[in-house]
Amino acid sequence: MKLLLLNPNTTESMTSLMAGAAQRVASPRTKIVATTAKIGFPYISSRVEAEIIASDILETIAEHHTQVDAVIISAFGDPGLIGARQLFDIPVIGVAEAAMLTACALGQRFSIVTFSDSLADWFRDGVLRAGLENRFTSIRLPSERFQSIETVQEELSESLVQLVEEAAYTDRADVAILAGGPLAGLATKISGRLPIPVVDPVPAAVVQAEGLVRLNPGIARAGGFARPPAKDTLGLPDSLSRRIEHTD
Amino acid sequence: MKLLLLNPNTTESMTSLMAGAAQRVASPRTKIVATTAKIGFPYISSRVEAEIIASDILETIAEHHTQVDAVIISAFGDPGLIGARQLFDIPVIGVAEAAMLTACALGQRFSIVTFSDSLADWFRDGVLRAGLENRFTSIRLPSERFQSIETVQEELSESLVQLVEEAAYTDRADVAILAGGPLAGLATKISGRLPIPVVDPVPAAVVQAEGLVRLNPGIARAGGFARPPAKDTLGLPDSLSRRIEHTD
Amino acid sequence: MKLLLLNPNTTESMTSLMAGAAQRVASPRTKIVATTAKIGFPYISSRVEAEIIASDILETIAEHHTQVDAVIISAFGDPGLIGARQLFDIPVIGVAEAAMLTACALGQRFSIVTFSDSLADWFRDGVLRAGLENRFTSIRLPSERFQSIETVQEELSESLVQLVEEAAYTDRADVAILAGGPLAGLATKISGRLPIPVVDPVPAAVVQAEGLVRLNPGIARAGGFARPPAKDTLGLPDSLSRRIEHTD
Amino acid sequence: MKLLLLNPNTTESMTSLMAGAAQRVASPRTKIVATTAKIGFPYISSRVEAEIIASDILETIAEHHTQVDAVIISAFGDPGLIGARQLFDIPVIGVAEAAMLTACALGQRFSIVTFSDSLADWFRDGVLRAGLENRFTSIRLPSERFQSIETVQEELSESLVQLVEEAAYTDRADVAILAGGPLAGLATKISGRLPIPVVDPVPAAVVQAEGLVRLNPGIARAGGFARPPAKDTLGLPDSLSRRIEHTD
Amino acid sequence: MKLLLLNPNTTESMTSLMAGAAQRVASPRTKIVATTAKIGFPYISSRVEAEIIASDILETIAEHHTQVDAVIISAFGDPGLIGARQLFDIPVIGVAEAAMLTACALGQRFSIVTFSDSLADWFRDGVLRAGLENRFTSIRLPSERFQSIETVQEELSESLVQLVEEAAYTDRADVAILAGGPLAGLATKISGRLPIPVVDPVPAAVVQAEGLVRLNPGIARAGGFARPPAKDTLGLPDSLSRRIEHTD
Amino acid sequence: MKLLLLNPNTTESMTSLMAGAAQRVASPRTKIVATTAKIGFPYISSRVEAEIIASDILETIAEHHTQVDAVIISAFGDPGLIGARQLFDIPVIGVAEAAMLTACALGQRFSIVTFSDSLADWFRDGVLRAGLENRFTSIRLPSERFQSIETVQEELSESLVQLVEEAAYTDRADVAILAGGPLAGLATKISGRLPIPVVDPVPAAVVQAEGLVRLNPGIARAGGFARPPAKDTLGLPDSLSRRIEHTD
């Protein structure tokens, strides 16, 4: 099985981090194909940035979808997720949605623990889009700043442990999600010290992707996720316009 | 006052239709500056198309925002609305949101009447994003097909009258929204025959835009709609990257 | 255009304050006709008082409705709003509803900032009636007392600035509403110091009223806001009973 | 124990009907004190009528509250209920709320069966105010008209049986409420023929009133139902203004 | 009238406490038949314990249901309530549900005050099952520990008074429920000192049970609470299997 | 990896059907350990039956939990799920919850298609417990009866295809769940003919169980799913009481 792990950020070291976390949990015969965005932002951290980059995500999937079994969009706000599910016939997984659905199998209420204030509103949108407000208790954020997105995981690890404890004891969360690409892989390092189960979004997306491929539930030919009928396009990237014009 | 009426579709005749409906309701001294998308689709009618075009919408606003007092994004799914509100300091109005908020001032429950099945899921997303599920009763769609997006308003007018009646008598809606750019201006022509008030999204957006400009409620410097801090970009259009990098 | 600005409180100086705030935002050719309640309370501040005064509000509208284009009920709990919309054919605006719908066009979540503890439950009812719980975060109240309803705006202005800051930074509101008739006009004075946009209910109601008049969406002849069929009355004020008995 | 059964309609025969239904279920030593409105409408059937009559309801309670143990407001929309609970120290019961809470003890989802289209929106408001949308499935209305409010119970009894069956088999209601004063007492006559339990609002209110008096849960001196502090009034009926001014 | 007061805990002194509280509020001619669980736990305090004991509760009701008029399941999480309502034709009351419905007749929002942290999640489940999230504000718990379940009421009474005050002043609850069998009877002792009405679940269940018996609303023969058709069983207790196999 | 597939029904042929469906989707090295209930019902089909059997489910898990890596409770209403998650340290999966969470990764709204009217209310409870009302559109049931629970899958297959079509075209579901143990394995046989993806609960539970084992998110030592402290028991089965008394 081949999974496209699409990092919509332009930072290559983040792609490596994610790919490592993905590979550790993947089945032996699953191959992770990781890509890094060519345009956009070092690290997407707000709704406007997610909107700007969505088209490029769809283009990247259009280039790869015939060669992989499923796609993982690896930014916690799940940019482009709904559109990609409409446009392509293979499973498309968002790391935020996968993490939240996994959390729902582990407890009644989950908290999201992340590292930067600017992410909170974007992440909350994902909870609403998933209709999981009733399962969600809080977003917990550290008060201190960090030096670099590449070392934030080490810099803030003590602080993040404490935030999970606050999620458990103050917000009465049953589960915590460690959200944000730069935290990929942290969960396994600290879960032994935590009072509640903790979900790492990238690995959660990998097992969900593998599961959906094996379940093989069929393709939407009706409803809100059916591929739209062929339509003319103007000035769009080739691979994307061919998919939309049904000339692929 | 100058309002940017941004048509994110590539069909110029639709821009004229919208601009006409806008001008008829605008204050005498309000100037409508209408634009037509240079890339994308003749008529956006699904979520994936809305995601693809969002970045281009933001770029267009970036080019105009210093010369207008407010922006109207004129496609019923309000593509790019949240991002535009973050990125720019002037009011940004979505025609769907404006129509729904207007409907909420006219009755308890509103229906959306539109002309094509493929729009329904996209429009329903807008209801959810606005948190107005409790005020929403139904989407009503005609069963017959139409020849052309440019004449749909004439072709289906009898059918749309009947759908509003069904919204009123069967779904118990207090108000109906005639949704979809190609229907701009229809409401005034048929409202005399309708049992409930009917909202035309483009004019509703115009009066909302004028109202917000006059209210002058201040700019978000905190919260989910504050402009994100300056950030590097890679490969984005000039006007947009300057706005994001705070070099404009 | 003529707008009836109906102050359901008996305090005339409050009417002047509201009328001033209304006039400042109104279009040049809009005339504000302001009335003060003849019976009731100096300042309505609870649900029971709102219920007591509702009938008198409807009577006042019955006396004026043929001479104005729209009505604004100027008490934040919107007493009599639903009934007035049923009974009369012109737009009827509640300042609370108008403020909340305006806030929804400026951000995702709004807070209500007001000056007296006793108003909180009444105002929260309005949020529920509008079905806007998902858009609402908090009511913020000052801890100190004030001397007089006529000077509360000056007495508490520093405190109110701070409450808006708490709404923004603690409750993560994107917008704040300065609620309560005695605060009319305060928003413009302090908005420059505030981190988020702030809505002044009376002006918000004025632009909404003007907008609805210009949109001219038609009259409800079916649904929950249609005028009830003629019915006998016993002992009601003349103007009101004529409207109900369809003898006006 | 003495219960004030307040009929806010002006039709005396309806008061008798309600009082009979109340007395049949009351404890032997409970005395029903029934009153008929002196002003207002033969039969309140819409929201605007409920708003008009609320003040008169509060005045009537102000006249009786020291001589009874609890009050039942006997119109299905519960006009004046919230205000009365604030203003008086004895339990105040609304027949709609009592019926809905009783239904919640008999099944998961209830339907409301009533006799006139114009009641539907008013009754639905009560469901929303009670926050019981999740327990509510439908309002069922007969398609035929009736001659008189005094004989509607006999005229429509077959039709109402059928509506309860539709509520059970089509809407999957577990319980039905027979709503509207003119139907008082009908439930016992037809319940043997019905597939699901059926609630008669007036008797439900009587047992709830007796229960609250016996439970004696204490008086609200804080929160949203505490009696407001003394306040000046202008032009209100004596008994009501004395209660508000704390001079009673 | 005979009411089965079923204590699903194995502690006899708790049964006496509950029976005393029940008898004090019951009508003179109502007889309370109290039972204590033969198997299970001294005091059920979590969801898993409630699930384990549910079958035994149903068996106990199967043994008594022909000799009583209604059943009260006296553990705040209402174990077995839904199943019992399906299986038996007499009213079955849960003390949690009865307390919450009573609270809804006394105010808009209620808090639950209890004595042990482990109860909180179990009690919150009950709020969700009842669909009363909108009426619920908080669960308040003491920070100190107690010696024994038999004396917890005395040990913590000062602390519980304070928690009700916090519910009223901080959480803005209009009503408080003193939850948990070991607190039965406490409400009357302290209600004079409390700022808001307070509900004692066992007495609330008694008046609700008496009320339902007197209302006699009919038996569910359709819907989600109809007795299931006869079905074979294997290895179940006699009285229970007879009821299920329709051989009783 | 070893998964306990716990069939809480007493019908052995159903266990074989479920085990076959499980094995087909399981990873090569996963071993399915299937058990059939020794007491209870041939096929659980209502809430009361689910409550009766919950204790036995917990006992069965108590006997096996040290020898398996995860548990699947294979009845669509997920009896005993919450309790089992509290009591045991390995992942416990409910087939209904797993199916619904899988459906949420495939579309916005799901329908449940099943074969017997009596299941509908029980299954709807599961939707509410999961807080997924916003993602749920309908339960679709066949109108015809079937001969035997062991052949229902063949008897009704045409009818079930049609129900999925109605879910897609009428209820606008994006995904359908084929619910009920006797339908295990049907999805793969008919998915090629269906307009929307279809989820088979047992396989969905298997991939979820494998995924959770591989993710290894840690054990709840706080919150609503932590193992309760040691507690005395009376008369419970050995393995269960040892687990509760912490003597295992």
Side-chain angles (χ1 to χ4, degrees):
Chain A
M1 192 186 302
K2 271 194 199 168
L3 303 181
L4 176 65
L5 180 73
L6 188 161
N7 178 13
N9 304 291
T10 59
T11 308
E12 303 241 350
S13 65
M14 203 185 299
T15 312
S16 306
L17 191 72
M18 291 167 175
Q23 201 68 68
R24 273 191 293 281
V25 79
S27 290
R29 281 175 305 188
T30 295
K31 186 167 172 215
I32 305 294
V33 181
T35 61
T36 306
K38 296 280 183 305
I39 67 163
F41 310 93
Y43 181 59
I44 302 170
S45 62
S46 76
R47 299 183 279 200
V48 66
E49 295 155 16
E51 289 181 3
I52 288 171
I53 216 59
S55 182
D56 190 58
I57 290 171
L58 293 164
E59 184 188 347
T60 303
I61 302 177
E63 286 161 0
H64 289 81
H65 75 106
T66 56
Q67 302 135 47
V68 294
D69 297 286
V71 178
I72 294 169
I73 299 173
S74 192
F76 197 76
D78 295 344
L81 179 64
I82 300 297
R85 283 191 177 148
Q86 279 197 290
L87 202 54
F88 304 102
D89 290 344
I90 53 174
V92 185
I93 314 296
V95 290
E97 190 191 83
M100 291 189 286
L101 294 176
T102 300
C104 286
L106 292 167
Q108 194 63 29
R109 287 185 304 277
F110 63 85
S111 279
I112 296 176
V113 171
T114 190
F115 57 87
S116 163
D117 192 67
S118 64
L119 301 165
D121 290 286
W122 185 33
F123 289 3
R124 195 176 277 116
D125 284 358
V127 176
L128 292 175
R129 193 179 49 230
L132 293 174
E133 304 89 307
N134 298 335
R135 307 292 297 265
F136 167 71
T137 72
S138 61
I139 293 191
R140 284 271 165 187
L141 300 162
S143 48
E144 70 264 51
R145 308 194 158 230
F146 56 91
Q147 304 278 329
S148 144
I149 207 73
E150 307 198 24
T151 55
V152 60
Q153 185 172 133
E154 286 73 35
E155 290 180 57
L156 295 184
S157 72
E158 283 316 298
S159 183
L160 292 165
V161 166
Q162 200 180 317
L163 291 172
V164 173
E165 286 169 351
E166 289 169 21
Y169 296 116
T170 305
D171 306 335
R172 302 190 71 87
D174 300 315
V175 196
I177 295 171
L178 288 181
L183 301 188
L186 177 63
T188 14
K189 294 181 198 155
I190 61 176
S191 78
R193 298 166 55 193
L194 298 174
I196 50 175
V198 66
V199 177
D200 191 344
V202 170
V206 170
V207 301
Q208 194 188 73
E210 290 191 0
L212 290 180
V213 171
R214 279 153 57 196
L215 288 174
N216 190 22
I219 291 168
R221 287 186 300 267
F225 290 85
R227 183 180 178 187
K231 173 176 278 197
D232 288 341
T233 66
L234 187 64
L236 297 188
D238 264 18
S239 57
L240 193 52
S241 63
R242 278 200 304 272
R243 183 73 192 157
I244 291 166
E245 299 177 353
H246 287 215
T247 55
D248 60 341
Chain B
M1 193 185 301
K2 270 194 199 169
L3 303 182
L4 176 65
L5 179 73
L6 188 162
N7 177 13
N9 305 291
T10 59
T11 307
E12 303 241 349
S13 66
M14 203 185 297
T15 311
S16 306
L17 191 72
M18 292 166 176
Q23 201 67 68
R24 273 192 293 282
V25 79
S27 290
R29 281 176 304 186
T30 295
K31 185 167 173 216
I32 305 294
V33 181
T35 63
T36 306
K38 297 279 184 308
I39 67 163
F41 312 91
Y43 181 60
I44 302 171
S45 63
S46 75
R47 298 184 279 202
V48 66
E49 295 155 17
E51 290 182 3
I52 288 171
I53 215 61
S55 181
D56 191 58
I57 290 171
L58 293 164
E59 185 188 347
T60 304
I61 301 176
E63 286 161 1
H64 289 81
H65 75 107
T66 57
Q67 301 135 50
V68 295
D69 296 287
V71 177
I72 294 169
I73 299 174
S74 191
F76 198 76
D78 294 344
L81 178 64
I82 300 296
R85 284 191 177 149
Q86 278 197 291
L87 203 54
F88 303 103
D89 290 343
I90 53 175
V92 184
I93 314 296
V95 289
E97 190 191 82
M100 291 189 286
L101 295 176
T102 300
C104 286
L106 292 167
Q108 194 63 27
R109 288 186 302 279
F110 63 85
S111 278
I112 296 175
V113 172
T114 189
F115 57 87
S116 164
D117 191 68
S118 64
L119 300 166
D121 289 285
W122 184 33
F123 289 2
R124 195 176 278 118
D125 284 358
V127 176
L128 292 175
R129 193 179 49 230
L132 292 174
E133 305 89 306
N134 298 335
R135 308 292 296 266
F136 168 70
T137 72
S138 61
I139 293 191
R140 283 271 164 187
L141 301 162
S143 48
E144 70 264 51
R145 309 197 157 227
F146 57 91
Q147 303 278 328
S148 144
I149 207 72
E150 307 198 25
T151 56
V152 59
Q153 184 172 135
E154 286 73 35
E155 291 180 56
L156 295 184
S157 74
E158 283 317 297
S159 183
L160 292 165
V161 165
Q162 201 181 316
L163 291 172
V164 173
E165 286 169 350
E166 289 170 21
Y169 297 116
T170 305
D171 308 334
R172 300 190 73 86
D174 300 314
V175 196
I177 295 170
L178 288 181
L183 302 187
L186 177 63
T188 14
K189 295 180 197 154
I190 61 176
S191 78
R193 299 166 55 194
L194 299 173
I196 49 176
V198 67
V199 178
D200 191 343
V202 170
V206 170
V207 300
Q208 195 189 72
E210 290 191 359
L212 290 179
V213 171
R214 279 153 57 197
L215 288 174
N216 190 21
I219 291 168
R221 286 186 301 265
F225 289 85
R227 184 180 178 187
K231 173 177 277 197
D232 289 342
T233 67
L234 188 64
L236 297 187
D238 264 19
S239 59
L240 193 52
S241 63
R242 277 200 306 273
R243 184 73 192 155
I244 290 166
E245 298 177 354
H246 288 213
T247 54
D248 61 339
Chain C
M1 193 184 304
K2 270 195 201 168
L3 304 181
L4 177 65
L5 179 73
L6 188 161
N7 177 12
N9 305 292
T10 59
T11 307
E12 303 240 351
S13 65
M14 204 185 297
T15 312
S16 305
L17 192 72
M18 291 166 175
Q23 202 68 67
R24 273 191 293 283
V25 79
S27 290
R29 282 176 305 186
T30 294
K31 186 169 171 213
I32 305 293
V33 181
T35 63
T36 306
K38 295 281 183 305
I39 67 163
F41 312 91
Y43 181 60
I44 302 170
S45 62
S46 75
R47 298 184 277 200
V48 66
E49 295 155 16
E51 289 181 3
I52 288 171
I53 215 60
S55 181
D56 191 57
I57 290 171
L58 293 164
E59 185 188 347
T60 303
I61 302 176
E63 286 161 1
H64 289 82
H65 76 107
T66 57
Q67 301 135 47
V68 294
D69 297 287
V71 178
I72 294 169
I73 299 174
S74 191
F76 198 76
D78 293 345
L81 178 64
I82 300 297
R85 283 190 178 151
Q86 280 197 290
L87 203 53
F88 303 103
D89 290 344
I90 54 174
V92 184
I93 314 295
V95 289
E97 190 191 84
M100 291 189 286
L101 295 176
T102 300
C104 286
L106 292 166
Q108 194 64 29
R109 287 186 303 278
F110 64 84
S111 278
I112 296 175
V113 172
T114 190
F115 57 87
S116 164
D117 192 67
S118 65
L119 300 165
D121 289 285
W122 184 33
F123 289 2
R124 194 176 278 118
D125 285 357
V127 176
L128 292 174
R129 193 179 49 232
L132 292 174
E133 304 90 307
N134 298 335
R135 307 293 295 264
F136 168 70
T137 72
S138 61
I139 293 191
R140 284 269 165 189
L141 301 162
S143 48
E144 70 264 50
R145 308 194 159 232
F146 56 92
Q147 304 278 329
S148 144
I149 208 71
E150 306 197 27
T151 56
V152 60
Q153 185 172 132
E154 287 72 34
E155 290 180 56
L156 295 184
S157 73
E158 283 316 296
S159 183
L160 292 165
V161 165
Q162 201 182 315
L163 290 172
V164 173
E165 286 169 351
E166 288 169 19
Y169 297 116
T170 305
D171 307 334
R172 302 190 73 87
D174 301 315
V175 196
I177 295 170
L178 287 182
L183 302 188
L186 177 63
T188 14
K189 296 181 196 153
I190 61 175
S191 78
R193 298 166 56 194
L194 298 173
I196 49 176
V198 67
V199 178
D200 191 345
V202 170
V206 170
V207 300
Q208 195 189 72
E210 290 191 359
L212 290 179
V213 171
R214 280 153 56 197
L215 289 174
N216 189 20
I219 291 168
R221 286 186 301 266
F225 289 85
R227 183 181 179 188
K231 173 176 279 196
D232 288 341
T233 66
L234 188 64
L236 297 187
D238 264 19
S239 59
L240 192 53
S241 63
R242 278 200 305 273
R243 184 72 192 158
I244 291 166
E245 298 177 353
H246 288 214
T247 55
D248 61 341
Chain D
M1 193 186 301
K2 271 194 200 169
L3 303 181
L4 176 66
L5 180 72
L6 188 161
N7 178 12
N9 304 292
T10 60
T11 307
E12 303 241 350
S13 65
M14 203 186 296
T15 312
S16 305
L17 192 71
M18 292 166 175
Q23 200 68 67
R24 275 192 292 282
V25 79
S27 290
R29 283 176 303 186
T30 294
K31 187 167 171 216
I32 305 294
V33 181
T35 62
T36 305
K38 296 280 183 305
I39 67 164
F41 311 92
Y43 181 59
I44 303 170
S45 63
S46 76
R47 298 183 280 202
V48 66
E49 294 155 17
E51 289 182 3
I52 288 170
I53 215 59
S55 182
D56 191 57
I57 290 171
L58 293 164
E59 184 188 348
T60 303
I61 302 177
E63 286 162 0
H64 288 81
H65 76 106
T66 56
Q67 301 135 47
V68 295
D69 297 287
V71 178
I72 295 169
I73 299 173
S74 192
F76 198 76
D78 294 345
L81 178 63
I82 300 296
R85 283 191 178 150
Q86 279 197 290
L87 202 54
F88 303 103
D89 290 343
I90 54 174
V92 184
I93 314 297
V95 290
E97 189 191 82
M100 291 189 286
L101 295 176
T102 300
C104 287
L106 291 166
Q108 193 65 27
R109 287 187 303 278
F110 63 86
S111 278
I112 296 176
V113 172
T114 190
F115 57 88
S116 164
D117 192 67
S118 65
L119 300 165
D121 290 286
W122 184 34
F123 289 1
R124 195 176 279 117
D125 284 358
V127 176
L128 292 175
R129 194 179 48 231
L132 293 174
E133 305 90 305
N134 298 335
R135 307 293 296 266
F136 168 71
T137 72
S138 61
I139 293 192
R140 283 270 164 188
L141 301 162
S143 48
E144 70 263 51
R145 307 193 160 232
F146 57 92
Q147 303 278 329
S148 144
I149 206 74
E150 306 196 26
T151 56
V152 59
Q153 186 172 133
E154 287 72 34
E155 291 181 55
L156 295 183
S157 72
E158 283 317 297
S159 184
L160 293 165
V161 166
Q162 200 181 316
L163 290 172
V164 174
E165 286 169 351
E166 289 170 21
Y169 296 117
T170 305
D171 307 335
R172 303 190 72 86
D174 301 314
V175 196
I177 296 171
L178 288 182
L183 302 188
L186 178 63
T188 14
K189 294 181 196 153
I190 61 176
S191 77
R193 298 167 56 194
L194 299 173
I196 49 175
V198 67
V199 178
D200 191 344
V202 170
V206 170
V207 301
Q208 193 188 75
E210 290 192 359
L212 290 179
V213 171
R214 279 152 58 196
L215 288 174
N216 190 21
I219 291 168
R221 287 187 299 266
F225 289 84
R227 184 181 178 188
K231 173 176 279 197
D232 288 342
T233 67
L234 187 64
L236 297 187
D238 264 18
S239 58
L240 193 52
S241 63
R242 277 200 305 271
R243 183 74 192 157
I244 291 165
E245 298 177 353
H246 288 216
T247 55
D248 63 339
Chain E
M1 192 186 302
K2 270 194 200 167
L3 303 181
L4 176 65
L5 180 73
L6 188 161
N7 177 12
N9 304 292
T10 59
T11 307
E12 302 241 350
S13 64
M14 204 185 297
T15 312
S16 305
L17 192 72
M18 292 166 175
Q23 202 67 67
R24 272 192 293 282
V25 80
S27 290
R29 282 177 302 187
T30 294
K31 187 168 170 214
I32 306 293
V33 181
T35 62
T36 307
K38 295 279 183 306
I39 67 163
F41 310 92
Y43 181 59
I44 303 171
S45 63
S46 76
R47 299 184 278 202
V48 66
E49 295 155 16
E51 289 182 3
I52 288 171
I53 215 60
S55 181
D56 190 57
I57 289 172
L58 293 164
E59 185 189 348
T60 302
I61 302 177
E63 286 161 1
H64 289 81
H65 75 106
T66 56
Q67 302 135 47
V68 295
D69 297 288
V71 178
I72 294 168
I73 299 173
S74 191
F76 198 76
D78 294 343
L81 178 64
I82 299 296
R85 283 190 177 150
Q86 279 197 291
L87 203 54
F88 303 103
D89 290 343
I90 54 175
V92 184
I93 314 297
V95 290
E97 190 191 83
M100 291 189 287
L101 296 175
T102 301
C104 287
L106 292 166
Q108 194 64 28
R109 286 186 304 277
F110 63 85
S111 278
I112 297 176
V113 171
T114 190
F115 57 88
S116 164
D117 191 68
S118 64
L119 301 165
D121 289 286
W122 184 33
F123 289 2
R124 194 175 278 117
D125 284 358
V127 176
L128 292 175
R129 194 179 48 230
L132 293 174
E133 304 90 307
N134 298 335
R135 308 291 296 265
F136 168 71
T137 71
S138 61
I139 293 191
R140 282 270 165 188
L141 300 163
S143 49
E144 68 264 50
R145 308 195 158 230
F146 57 92
Q147 302 279 330
S148 144
I149 207 73
E150 306 197 26
T151 55
V152 60
Q153 185 173 131
E154 287 73 34
E155 290 180 56
L156 296 184
S157 71
E158 284 316 298
S159 183
L160 293 165
V161 166
Q162 201 181 316
L163 291 172
V164 173
E165 286 169 351
E166 289 169 19
Y169 297 116
T170 305
D171 307 334
R172 301 190 72 87
D174 300 314
V175 196
I177 295 171
L178 287 182
L183 301 188
L186 178 63
T188 15
K189 294 181 197 154
I190 61 176
S191 77
R193 299 165 55 194
L194 299 173
I196 49 175
V198 67
V199 177
D200 191 344
V202 170
V206 170
V207 302
Q208 193 188 75
E210 290 191 1
L212 290 179
V213 171
R214 280 153 58 196
L215 288 173
N216 190 21
I219 290 168
R221 287 187 298 267
F225 289 84
R227 183 180 178 188
K231 173 175 278 198
D232 289 341
T233 67
L234 187 65
L236 297 186
D238 264 18
S239 57
L240 193 53
S241 63
R242 278 200 305 272
R243 183 73 192 157
I244 291 166
E245 297 177 353
H246 288 216
T247 55
D248 62 341
Chain F
M1 193 185 303
K2 270 194 199 168
L3 303 181
L4 177 64
L5 180 73
L6 187 161
N7 177 12
N9 304 292
T10 59
T11 307
E12 302 240 351
S13 65
M14 203 185 297
T15 312
S16 305
L17 192 72
M18 291 166 176
Q23 201 68 67
R24 273 192 293 284
V25 80
S27 290
R29 281 176 305 186
T30 294
K31 186 168 171 216
I32 305 294
V33 181
T35 62
T36 306
K38 297 279 183 306
I39 67 164
F41 311 92
Y43 181 59
I44 302 171
S45 63
S46 76
R47 297 183 279 200
V48 66
E49 294 155 16
E51 289 182 3
I52 288 170
I53 216 59
S55 181
D56 191 57
I57 290 171
L58 293 164
E59 185 188 347
T60 303
I61 302 177
E63 285 162 0
H64 288 81
H65 76 106
T66 57
Q67 302 135 47
V68 295
D69 296 287
V71 178
I72 294 168
I73 299 173
S74 190
F76 197 76
D78 294 344
L81 178 64
I82 300 296
R85 283 189 178 152
Q86 279 196 290
L87 202 54
F88 303 103
D89 290 343
I90 53 175
V92 185
I93 314 296
V95 289
E97 189 191 84
M100 291 189 286
L101 295 176
T102 301
C104 286
L106 292 166
Q108 194 64 27
R109 286 185 304 278
F110 64 85
S111 278
I112 296 176
V113 172
T114 190
F115 57 87
S116 164
D117 191 67
S118 64
L119 299 165
D121 289 285
W122 185 33
F123 289 2
R124 195 176 277 116
D125 284 357
V127 176
L128 292 175
R129 194 179 47 232
L132 293 174
E133 304 90 307
N134 298 336
R135 308 292 296 264
F136 167 72
T137 71
S138 61
I139 293 192
R140 283 272 166 187
L141 300 162
S143 48
E144 69 264 51
R145 307 196 160 229
F146 57 91
Q147 302 278 330
S148 144
I149 207 73
E150 306 198 26
T151 55
V152 59
Q153 184 172 134
E154 287 72 34
E155 291 180 56
L156 296 183
S157 73
E158 283 317 298
S159 183
L160 293 166
V161 165
Q162 201 181 316
L163 291 171
V164 173
E165 286 169 351
E166 288 169 21
Y169 297 116
T170 306
D171 307 334
R172 301 191 72 88
D174 302 314
V175 197
I177 295 171
L178 287 181
L183 301 188
L186 177 63
T188 14
K189 294 181 197 153
I190 60 177
S191 77
R193 299 167 55 196
L194 298 173
I196 49 175
V198 67
V199 178
D200 191 344
V202 170
V206 169
V207 302
Q208 194 189 72
E210 291 191 359
L212 290 180
V213 171
R214 279 154 56 197
L215 288 174
N216 190 22
I219 291 168
R221 286 186 300 265
F225 289 86
R227 184 180 178 188
K231 173 176 278 198
D232 289 341
T233 67
L234 188 65
L236 297 186
D238 265 18
S239 58
L240 193 52
S241 63
R242 277 201 304 272
R243 184 72 191 156
I244 291 166
E245 297 178 354
H246 289 214
T247 55
D248 62 340

